[in-house]
Amino acid sequence: MRPRLVDTLAHVIAAFEGELAASEGRLAIISSTAVRPGATSSYARAKADAEQLVAELAVRLGAADGAATIFSIGSLGEDGTPAAVLAERLAAWLDAPAAEVNGARIAL
């Protein structure tokens, strides 16, 4: 799980951070409610590591009026968060001032 999730996210951040900072850009990831203190599954650990990368990016983007944010859901789709709800929240996130959403972990 780690190479596909965490390492890929680290490469994306490395490739695009300059452009995000230069353009007051934003990055969001969809994480999981499985991320909580004491969680030991490889899935929860990989998601927690990804969240840490986003939190570190948020610090750097905050200085450039950008934003990095985590959206946390249990699942997406029929038995979880409807895709339309996620889309609405992402649209609202894009409209919100960066300083209000930078570094946030938004539970859906």
Side-chain angles (χ1 to χ4, degrees):
M1 179 104 206
R2 181 175 175 79
R4 286 181 277 145
L5 175 66
V6 182
D7 295 348
T8 299
L9 178 60
H11 291 302
V12 167
I13 289 171
F16 292 102
E17 184 173 350
E19 288 84 358
L20 288 168
S23 65
E24 298 177 2
R26 297 182 183 208
L27 177 134
I29 64 166
I30 309 303
S31 192
S32 173
T33 56
V35 176
R36 58 185 176 278
T40 59
S41 74
S42 60
Y43 175 79
R45 291 178 62 198
K47 287 288 193 173
D49 289 347
E51 286 191 18
Q52 182 61 39
L53 289 174
V54 173
E56 293 167 1
L57 177 64
V59 171
R60 297 188 301 272
L61 286 183
D65 295 323
T69 306
I70 299 157
F71 287 85
S72 174
I73 63 173
S75 64
L76 184 63
E78 201 170 295
D79 295 329
T81 301
V85 170
L86 178 57
E88 289 170 6
R89 294 298 298 271
L90 285 167
W93 171 75
L94 286 169
D95 288 338
E100 290 180 15
V101 296
N102 187 43
R105 186 172 196 270
I106 301 170
L108 300 179

